[in-house]
Amino acid sequence: MYTPTGNWRKASWSVAEGACVEVAPAQGGVLVRNSKDRTGPIVRFTDAEWKAFLNGVKHGEFDSLA
């Protein structure tokens, strides 16, 4: 299991009962988990994968998936 190197964070606009994810920095990447199930599975992204994902979000790559 990967250990976060910092605190878990979620979006500031996230509502208390909303379906949100939390992210935390980890050595060489970023960890993501479900904010409603903090003891559940954690997904790890490398730095390159996370950067590619954020770049895709910024450029509307996932807009048609909604």
Side-chain angles (χ1 to χ4, degrees):
M1 182 171 169
Y2 298 100
T3 304
T5 58
N7 294 326
W8 288 95
R9 297 174 43 194
K10 64 179 175 178
S12 59
W13 52 267
S14 174
V15 294
E17 299 300 321
C20 302
V21 296
E22 295 177 321
V23 298
Q27 186 171 356
V30 175
L31 305 177
V32 179
R33 70 180 180 187
N34 183 335
S35 64
K36 287 186 173 183
D37 185 10
R38 292 179 174 168
T39 61
I42 295 173
V43 180
R44 183 183 184 277
F45 294 94
T46 65
D47 286 330
E49 291 167 332
W50 190 249
K51 184 177 180 179
F53 170 71
L54 293 179
N55 190 46
V57 170
K58 290 176 185 176
H59 290 94
E61 192 173 318
F62 308 106
D63 290 352
S64 63
L65 299 177

